[in-house]
Amino acid sequence: MPKDEIVTAPAAAGEPAERSVPRFEVELLKPHSHAGQDLLPGAKIKITAEQRTWLKSLGVVAGETPEK
């Protein structure tokens, strides 16, 4: 399986670009609802490090790379 990809989300309105939250692209292992959509295994989503840790603990996503 490919390693997680780090993607930087655009800064919110009025927020400096250097404060944008890093996001990780991960592949789902189980069905999951994300951003109001029901997704199936194999779908890729972009999530924060905290979300990735939580979804890994539930077995929804895999990933061997350390948090950054």
Side-chain angles (χ1 to χ4, degrees):
M1 179 180 300
K3 293 186 177 183
D4 296 343
E5 174 186 334
I6 298 174
V7 179
T8 303
E15 183 179 337
E18 62 271 8
R19 295 199 55 188
S20 61
V21 178
R23 298 207 177 249
F24 299 82
E25 184 173 81
V26 295
E27 186 173 338
L28 297 177
L29 299 175
K30 296 180 180 179
H32 177 69
S33 292
H34 180 75
Q37 294 183 332
D38 292 329
L39 303 170
L40 297 174
K44 293 186 179 183
I45 59 173
K46 294 178 183 172
I47 55 177
T48 65
E50 292 81 14
Q51 291 169 322
R52 184 174 70 157
T53 299
W54 176 65
L55 291 173
K56 281 183 188 180
S57 74
L58 297 174
V60 175
V61 299
E64 296 76 34
T65 58
E67 309 294 346
K68 295 191 179 196

